[in-house]
Amino acid sequence: MTSPALRRLAAIIVKEGLQIVRDPSSILIGFILPVFLTLLSGYATNLDLDHLRVGIVLEDSSPEAQDLAASFLASKYFDPRVGHDRREFAADLVSGKVRGLVVIPQTFSRDLARADKSVPFQVIADGSEPNTAQFLQNYAQGVWLSWMAVRAEGKGAEFRQPANLLPRTWFNQELVSLNSLMPGGMAINLTLIGALLTALVVAREWERGTMEAMLATPVSPVEMLIGKLVPYFLLGMAAMFICLGITIALFGVPFRGSIPALVAVSSVFLLSALGLGLFISSVARNQFVASQAAILSAFLPAYFLSGYVFEPSGMPWPIELLSRAIAARYYVSCLKTLFLAGDAWALLLPNMGGMALIAAVLLGLTLKNTARTVA
């Protein structure tokens, strides 16, 4: 025979499960939203630029200048248009139709013949987008060095770069930004799903009075809390695996960790996300207020302070200190470790401890508010 407490707990879990199945908004948030957000994150947050629209100003008509211009035309990083006067591109540069100019001056072949050590052409970048401008300058430098090396080889001479760098990149050897951004995007998705789903659904029960009716039964606040957590925890884990499948299969992000480690890390994080949603609903008890509070307290801090895009170490120390209270910061670190490095428990365990502490505080506050209502 099972105890009355276990029977009550099982009944609450079944009731919540049926409510999820019957509620279109829960299905939308739990299954459709993670697919949409993962696809949006993968296609909209790619920081790897190619086919930059640039203008090639060919002021010198020498074979050397035309050969260099051909190198830019052949590069996959540029989508160039060739002209003979920089004034041809002035309006396009202002309007953003081109992101910069590569000016090969009239003195190019003469300077090249004198072996001038300075780069004998000019790169004008649109500084309104600093990242794009930096990419443009770096890509142009790469085309120039490659062209010089091929030219020297054709003459049977040795081309010496100013510095001979031998870069080595660990964990993300291809330097593909999606390999770092997509794991962080999973954390943002689960933050929004966990907090928003529980905040809305439970706030609706407070709004309709069904929560007070259930608390008037022999069900204890602890049983109520566990009964609410279990179904939405399982829904969150299903959403996590959906995000994982899309991230690996569609975007080709490597996953070097193990599924048990991912489940362990995600379980602790979901407790904190669901705890935040339950705490919001216990305070707001109104669907509109709960949804706004979930976005302000869960999604926005997770997006800006978790390390998904901006490194917390580069923030002012008060903001960096505030980010330590955001569970998504620890989850992003865990996901990047699992995807790019593997099961590095020396990094995973401290982050799991931080998430567990946040989850304990939020669930404790929720339990306290619920118990006060019962009293």
Side-chain angles (χ1 to χ4, degrees):
M1 291 291 293
T2 58
S3 66
L6 290 178
R7 289 198 298 269
R8 289 195 299 268
L9 180 59
I12 296 173
I13 293 174
V14 171
K15 175 256 182 190
E16 292 296 330
L18 292 174
Q19 182 172 320
I20 291 174
V21 173
R22 295 169 180 171
D23 184 10
S25 64
S26 298
I27 302 299
L28 176 66
I29 296 175
F31 295 103
I32 306 301
L33 189 60
V35 174
F36 173 75
L37 290 177
T38 304
L39 293 175
L40 184 64
S41 176
Y43 288 116
T45 59
N46 190 352
L47 300 181
D48 300 320
L49 299 178
D50 55 14
H51 295 91
L52 285 172
R53 300 185 305 273
V54 297
I56 307 295
V57 182
L58 196 58
E59 296 179 349
D60 186 0
S61 59
S62 66
E64 293 85 356
Q66 293 179 8
D67 191 36
L68 177 60
S71 296
F72 280 96
L73 291 170
S75 174
K76 69 174 184 179
Y77 298 109
F78 295 106
D79 184 12
R81 287 167 42 204
V82 178
H84 298 281
D85 193 321
R86 68 185 71 191
R87 288 174 295 185
E88 297 177 29
F89 300 98
D92 291 340
L93 189 60
V94 172
S95 64
K97 293 182 180 179
V98 296
R99 290 302 178 186
L101 302 178
V102 176
V103 181
I104 304 177
Q106 294 178 352
T107 59
F108 176 79
S109 58
R110 185 179 60 197
D111 293 339
L112 195 63
R114 293 189 310 193
D116 190 359
K117 293 182 179 180
S118 63
V119 177
F121 68 91
Q122 184 181 28
V123 177
I124 302 174
D126 181 359
S128 62
E129 295 187 8
N131 287 336
T132 302
Q134 189 66 39
F135 277 117
L136 171 59
Q137 293 171 0
N138 291 336
Y139 290 163
Q141 181 73 8
V143 171
W144 162 251
L145 292 176
S146 298
W147 182 79
M148 287 291 289
V150 171
R151 181 172 178 270
E153 183 179 356
K155 291 185 175 183
E158 181 182 0
F159 171 65
R160 294 184 179 181
Q161 299 185 23
N164 187 21
L165 300 179
L166 296 175
R168 295 291 185 271
T169 305
W170 288 12
F171 310 125
N172 187 9
Q173 290 86 347
E174 301 85 3
L175 294 178
V176 177
S177 62
L178 279 182
N179 291 351
S180 176
L181 291 174
M182 290 300 292
M186 284 180 56
I188 305 302
N189 297 346
L190 290 185
T191 298
L192 183 60
I193 293 167
L196 183 61
L197 187 61
T198 51
L200 281 176
V201 173
V202 180
R204 182 169 57 201
E205 293 194 51
W206 284 109
E207 218 173 34
R208 295 176 177 175
T210 55
M211 184 65 74
E212 287 89 342
M214 290 191 64
L215 291 173
T217 67
V219 175
S220 69
V222 174
E223 294 168 356
M224 179 67 69
L225 184 63
I226 296 175
K228 293 287 184 185
L229 279 175
V230 171
Y232 293 106
F233 175 85
L234 296 176
L235 184 61
M237 292 299 292
M240 184 273 294
F241 279 110
I242 291 174
C243 295
L244 176 67
I246 295 174
T247 300
I248 295 175
L250 186 58
F251 295 101
V253 178
F255 181 74
R256 300 186 174 101
S258 64
I259 295 298
L262 178 63
V263 170
V265 168
S266 300
S267 298
V268 180
F269 173 73
L270 275 175
L271 289 178
S272 66
L274 296 174
L276 178 59
L278 290 173
F279 174 66
I280 290 172
S281 65
S282 69
V283 174
R285 302 188 181 183
N286 176 277
Q287 291 186 77
F288 177 77
V289 176
S291 63
Q292 300 303 307
I295 293 174
L296 290 175
S297 63
F299 176 72
L300 292 179
Y303 187 89
F304 288 105
L305 302 179
S306 66
Y308 165 54
V309 178
F310 314 104
E311 278 294 328
S313 59
M315 301 175 184
W317 72 264
I319 306 300
E320 195 275 336
L321 189 63
L322 176 63
S323 72
R324 297 179 183 272
I326 308 299
R329 168 176 175 162
Y330 304 101
Y331 190 44
V332 167
S333 177
C334 289
L335 288 177
K336 288 184 178 181
T337 299
L338 287 171
F339 271 85
L340 300 178
D343 295 352
W345 290 103
L347 294 175
L348 298 178
L349 290 177
N351 287 315
M352 292 175 67
M355 291 187 291
L357 178 61
I358 294 172
V361 171
L362 291 172
L363 293 174
L365 291 173
T366 303
L367 188 61
K368 183 178 179 180
N369 284 343
T370 306
R372 186 185 298 119
T373 301
V374 175

